[in-house]
Amino acid sequence: MKVTIYDVAKEAKVSIATVSKVLNQTGRISDKTKRKVLKVIEELDYRPNMMASALMGKQTKTIGLLIPDLANPFFSELARSIEDRGQELGYNLVMCSTDYKMEKENKYLTLLKQKNVDGFILASGFENLDKVEELIKQDIPVAIVARDFPMFPVNAVALDDFMGGYQAASYLINLGHKKIGVIARNVWSNRERLRGFKQALKENKLEFSTDFEFIEGSSVEEGKSMAHKYLSGSNVPSAIFACNDLLAAGAIQAAKENGLNVPEQLSVIGFDNTIIARIVEPPLTTIAQPIQNMGEQVMDLIVSLIEGDQKEKIRLTLLPTIVERGSTFKYDNCGVNER
Amino acid sequence: MKVTIYDVAKEAKVSIATVSKVLNQTGRISDKTKRKVLKVIEELDYRPNMMASALMGKQTKTIGLLIPDLANPFFSELARSIEDRGQELGYNLVMCSTDYKMEKENKYLTLLKQKNVDGFILASGFENLDKVEELIKQDIPVAIVARDFPMFPVNAVALDDFMGGYQAASYLINLGHKKIGVIARNVWSNRERLRGFKQALKENKLEFSTDFEFIEGSSVEEGKSMAHKYLSGSNVPSAIFACNDLLAAGAIQAAKENGLNVPEQLSVIGFDNTIIARIVEPPLTTIAQPIQNMGEQVMDLIVSLIEGDQKEKIRLTLLPTIVERGSTFKYDNCGVNER
DNA sequence: TTGAAAGCGGTACCAA
DNA sequence: TTGGTACCGCTTTCAA
């Protein structure tokens, strides 16, 4: 049988109240009994049952992490960084992939509430404002990561996606590109990146591709087929901005299938700077999200919400940085880029 | 305040015992009261507190997943497949990256025991026999995945790593390769793959590279530097077998840095068949683990352990399959592969 | 400084 | 068919 606080109390010849006090360092206990109790705890290898103390209103030291897809490198790297910080602070994570589906989000949310998680970290893709509002009303700590809700008072660690899109466009424009295709899906972060992208275009009096349309998923395959669309269009771009590294990898594959050299004949720029960016050939120039930092910050944020009495909402917006690798190239229309 | 079983009982004018019974479908309740209670539950949006019922010996519907590194594509894909099956069966996962460190494994193990998880799934890399034994003794359900303990009676879903190594070697030998370098780290699965590899070599009267040594990590960088070692050695191999896709990606990069064409001048074969294999250039020929199936099976296994009365240990060994892509090539020493 | 006892939110046995 | 109640393992007053 598992050893309980009663076993310890009996063995140490004190009451369970006393044991509880030395455990939680509350109340005043004489050094002598304290030592005695500690010794028995050691001997019996006693571990307090967290369910029981949670029932009495203590924390479960468990946080729910809702993420679109754990198998996506960006999210798995983010999850890992959140987990690392959590482990430093003594928290475990229940991870749930939502596949961007509202039903799954809702299901996990109610389920984890029943399990008394101390709070939720919601990663990008969460479009479920109502539920977030509900959580806040119910006084359950929530923090958003890699996603912003500008019009909504909620704690968040966000990336400046607008800036990221702007940087990508500016970089390509500086290289001389004038026709740039964009691959994006219809989620908030991508829309922001697109907005930033268009802003840079506008400032340079360039036109946005008429071939553009949102894609459905964010897999390599989707990226490839959208890139094919651009490359077979009437107005072939000299560069492509893909809203994540996976899509960029697809774009590179499409270029190859079309017999185009990357970067000489087609520049490709990605977003996220996951492991994918270092592995594709040529290595991907990409807009880097500070994944480690985001994970750390959001964990710190949620913990301060859980443990502290902090009342004002905090919104942290981190800036992307461009990482230059081999998938982008200077464009000029006199020879080098000839097809 | 959260609504409890008492609120429901009061509102429905019955006892909490009755409410509990309709909730758990135990005992016999008249249709009339059942409907009444159900209605109140609905109205109040009552959700039973799982901590409380866990205290009474019910399950927490939560399983601990210990995995070396969630940011590694193989493990994140595996975790995702486990999670998917878990969600179908009504279980959540607490995921913990152990970095192959025993201290972390132990820490997570005791922590999650305190949190009353219903069982543990331990993924590859877990070298901690004692602790596993302890879990079994304590009658805590455990299942191993992607890792075998041949000499140890424990429920497991394993891959036949020996066979995988054997397949890799056979495939390359069939292509005509005689000098093959191996990149592996000193963990069980890799040792098994190596053993299978050597077996095939032996059957073909070929010699194992004298340059071989285990590497420390399993990152792209490690793969690259080990490959460099081979390529700058006195007895340069015509093919490399890397014990995972990440290492294989590194080997491909090393080849390029040495001005070698993959696959014409150097064949590379990987292991796992993660997303990495589809993204590198050339796409990677690799020994595929049936990741989806492994995840599903191990979740089914642990759940049958938790819910069933199954007493005999089960060991499921799945077979790897080779996936041919573009990173391997026929070897003959008359021209094509000239350097 | 210590301990008795009242919960926390359920489950399940036993009576009614 | 229902309800009273002991109990799960711990926290937290309140008295002693």
Side-chain angles (χ1 to χ4, degrees):
Chain A
M1 206 42 221
K2 272 213 76 179
V3 16
T4 72
I5 199 171
Y6 288 95
D7 303 321
V8 177
K10 190 182 294 176
E11 187 71 21
K13 300 192 199 338
V14 295
S15 73
I16 60 165
T18 304
V19 178
S20 176
K21 277 170 199 153
V22 344
L23 237 35
N24 299 292
Q25 324 209 44
T26 57
R28 25 194 92 271
I29 305 288
S30 73
D31 258 27
K32 188 159 154 257
T33 34
K34 188 187 290 181
R35 262 196 302 278
K36 188 170 55 181
V37 170
L38 253 17
K39 183 151 156 282
V40 173
I41 288 179
E42 174 92 359
E43 284 172 10
L44 268 47
D45 193 31
Y46 165 66
R47 309 279 171 191
N49 182 327
M50 300 195 72
M51 311 267 97
S53 54
L55 243 199
M56 284 300 299
K58 289 238 161 177
Q59 294 152 20
T60 55
K61 294 289 177 182
T62 303
I63 289 171
L65 173 61
L66 268 58
I67 220 167
D69 177 15
L70 203 58
N72 174 318
F74 171 67
F75 291 117
S76 68
E77 292 177 24
L78 181 62
R80 178 64 153 102
S81 72
I82 295 175
E83 191 211 322
D84 280 349
R85 185 61 179 163
Q87 112 113 316
E88 287 173 24
L89 302 177
Y91 285 82
N92 286 117
L93 252 28
V94 178
M95 301 194 188
C96 308
S97 297
T98 63
D99 286 319
Y100 295 97
K101 300 226 181 79
M102 196 150 121
E103 50 189 280
K104 286 201 183 185
E105 292 171 355
N106 292 341
K107 187 176 161 187
Y108 282 130
L109 242 25
T110 57
L111 202 54
L112 296 191
K113 271 198 281 188
Q114 287 183 250
K115 294 189 180 179
N116 281 30
V117 296
D118 296 332
F120 287 96
I121 296 177
L122 309 177
S124 170
F126 201 89
E127 307 265 355
N128 211 342
L129 276 302
D130 292 357
K131 285 287 170 182
V132 177
E133 201 160 9
E134 199 182 306
L135 287 176
I136 295 175
K137 265 202 198 108
Q138 290 172 94
D139 225 46
I140 297 175
V142 197
I144 310 281
V145 65
R147 166 74 155 93
D148 206 354
F149 285 105
M151 67 307 277
F152 200 72
V154 59
N155 294 280
V157 174
L159 182 85
D160 193 332
D161 286 300
F162 178 87
M163 173 65 81
Y166 186 88
Q167 284 178 352
S170 304
Y171 180 77
L172 292 173
I173 293 169
N174 269 337
L175 286 177
H177 294 278
K178 293 187 168 28
K179 283 177 288 185
I180 309 172
V182 177
I183 307 180
R185 70 181 291 185
N186 196 1
V187 294
W188 171 270
S189 60
N190 284 207
R191 289 194 298 269
E192 279 299 289
R193 292 168 198 176
L194 188 57
R195 205 165 60 81
F197 179 89
K198 284 180 176 170
Q199 174 66 26
L201 242 46
K202 195 171 148 196
E203 290 177 7
N204 287 274
K205 302 197 171 37
L206 293 172
E207 299 217 328
F208 183 62
S209 166
T210 52
D211 286 344
F212 176 80
E213 62 189 51
F214 283 117
I215 57 178
E216 287 306 312
S218 35
S219 62
V220 180
E221 287 68 30
E222 302 265 356
K224 194 199 290 196
S225 69
M226 184 66 198
H228 269 306
K229 189 151 174 271
Y230 278 122
L231 299 178
S232 62
S234 55
N235 199 6
V236 178
S238 64
I240 284 182
F241 167 41
C243 277
N244 73 47
D245 290 345
L246 247 24
L247 296 172
I252 290 180
Q253 292 184 359
K256 284 175 187 157
E257 289 177 8
N258 275 39
L260 258 38
N261 257 342
V262 176
E264 291 83 356
Q265 298 172 300
L266 181 74
S267 285
V268 175
I269 188 165
F271 208 107
D272 289 348
N273 194 31
T274 56
I275 190 170
I276 302 298
R278 287 178 286 137
I279 275 176
V280 292
E281 176 64 30
L284 198 62
T285 297
T286 193
I287 306 295
Q289 302 207 43
I291 300 185
Q292 292 301 321
N293 197 16
M294 286 167 71
E296 196 169 312
Q297 298 286 358
V298 77
M299 189 38 106
D300 285 351
L301 183 51
I302 193 86
V303 169
S304 81
L305 247 47
I306 292 170
E307 298 181 351
D309 31 24
Q310 172 208 332
K311 270 298 150 207
E312 334 75 71
K313 300 273 185 261
I314 287 192
R315 172 161 297 158
L316 210 60
T317 303
L318 304 179
L319 294 181
T321 50
I322 189 161
V323 175
E324 297 189 56
R325 293 204 183 84
S327 66
T328 44
F329 198 77
K330 191 158 171 291
Y331 179 79
D332 64 84
N333 31 19
C334 45
V336 189
N337 313 80
E338 278 298 294
R339 301 211 166 104
Chain B
M1 207 39 223
K2 273 214 77 179
V3 15
T4 72
I5 198 172
Y6 290 94
D7 302 321
V8 177
K10 191 183 294 176
E11 187 72 20
K13 299 192 203 333
V14 295
S15 73
I16 60 165
T18 304
V19 178
S20 176
K21 277 170 199 152
V22 344
L23 237 36
N24 299 291
Q25 323 209 44
T26 57
R28 24 195 91 272
I29 305 287
S30 73
D31 258 29
K32 188 157 154 258
T33 35
K34 189 188 289 183
R35 264 197 300 280
K36 188 170 55 179
V37 170
L38 253 17
K39 184 152 156 281
V40 173
I41 288 178
E42 175 92 0
E43 284 172 9
L44 268 46
D45 193 31
Y46 164 65
R47 309 279 170 190
N49 181 328
M50 300 195 73
M51 310 266 98
S53 53
L55 243 199
M56 284 300 297
K58 289 241 160 174
Q59 293 151 19
T60 54
K61 294 288 178 184
T62 304
I63 289 171
L65 172 62
L66 267 58
I67 220 168
D69 178 14
L70 203 59
N72 174 318
F74 171 68
F75 291 117
S76 69
E77 290 176 25
L78 180 62
R80 178 64 152 102
S81 73
I82 296 176
E83 190 210 322
D84 280 350
R85 185 60 178 162
Q87 111 114 314
E88 287 173 26
L89 302 178
Y91 285 83
N92 286 116
L93 252 27
V94 178
M95 302 195 187
C96 309
S97 298
T98 63
D99 286 319
Y100 295 97
K101 300 226 181 81
M102 197 151 121
E103 51 189 278
K104 285 201 183 184
E105 292 171 355
N106 292 340
K107 187 176 161 186
Y108 281 130
L109 241 25
T110 55
L111 203 56
L112 296 191
K113 271 197 283 187
Q114 288 183 250
K115 294 187 180 179
N116 281 29
V117 295
D118 295 332
F120 287 97
I121 296 177
L122 308 178
S124 171
F126 202 87
E127 307 265 354
N128 212 341
L129 276 303
D130 292 357
K131 284 287 169 182
V132 177
E133 201 160 8
E134 197 182 307
L135 288 175
I136 295 176
K137 265 202 199 110
Q138 290 171 93
D139 224 48
I140 298 175
V142 198
I144 309 281
V145 65
R147 166 72 155 95
D148 205 355
F149 286 105
M151 66 309 278
F152 199 73
V154 58
N155 294 281
V157 175
L159 181 86
D160 194 332
D161 286 301
F162 178 87
M163 173 65 82
Y166 187 88
Q167 283 179 353
S170 305
Y171 180 76
L172 291 174
I173 292 170
N174 269 337
L175 286 178
H177 295 277
K178 294 187 168 28
K179 283 176 288 185
I180 309 172
V182 177
I183 306 180
R185 70 181 291 186
N186 196 0
V187 294
W188 171 271
S189 60
N190 284 205
R191 289 194 298 268
E192 279 299 290
R193 292 168 199 175
L194 189 56
R195 205 165 60 80
F197 180 88
K198 284 180 176 172
Q199 174 66 26
L201 242 46
K202 195 170 148 196
E203 289 177 8
N204 288 274
K205 301 197 174 37
L206 292 173
E207 299 218 328
F208 183 62
S209 167
T210 52
D211 286 345
F212 176 80
E213 62 189 51
F214 284 116
I215 57 177
E216 287 305 312
S218 35
S219 62
V220 181
E221 286 67 30
E222 303 264 356
K224 194 198 290 193
S225 68
M226 185 66 198
H228 269 307
K229 189 149 173 274
Y230 278 121
L231 299 179
S232 63
S234 55
N235 199 6
V236 179
S238 65
I240 284 182
F241 167 42
C243 277
N244 73 48
D245 290 345
L246 247 22
L247 296 172
I252 291 181
Q253 293 184 359
K256 282 177 187 155
E257 289 177 7
N258 275 39
L260 258 38
N261 257 342
V262 177
E264 292 83 357
Q265 299 172 299
L266 182 74
S267 285
V268 176
I269 189 166
F271 208 108
D272 290 347
N273 195 30
T274 56
I275 190 172
I276 301 298
R278 287 178 286 135
I279 277 177
V280 292
E281 177 63 30
L284 198 61
T285 297
T286 192
I287 307 295
Q289 302 206 43
I291 300 184
Q292 292 300 320
N293 198 16
M294 287 167 70
E296 197 169 311
Q297 298 286 0
V298 76
M299 189 39 109
D300 285 351
L301 183 52
I302 193 87
V303 169
S304 82
L305 247 46
I306 292 170
E307 298 181 351
D309 31 24
Q310 172 209 330
K311 270 298 150 207
E312 334 74 72
K313 301 274 185 259
I314 287 192
R315 171 162 299 157
L316 210 62
T317 303
L318 305 178
L319 294 181
T321 50
I322 188 160
V323 176
E324 297 189 54
R325 293 204 183 85
S327 67
T328 44
F329 198 75
K330 191 159 171 293
Y331 179 80
D332 65 81
N333 31 19
C334 46
V336 188
N337 312 81
E338 277 298 294
R339 300 209 169 108

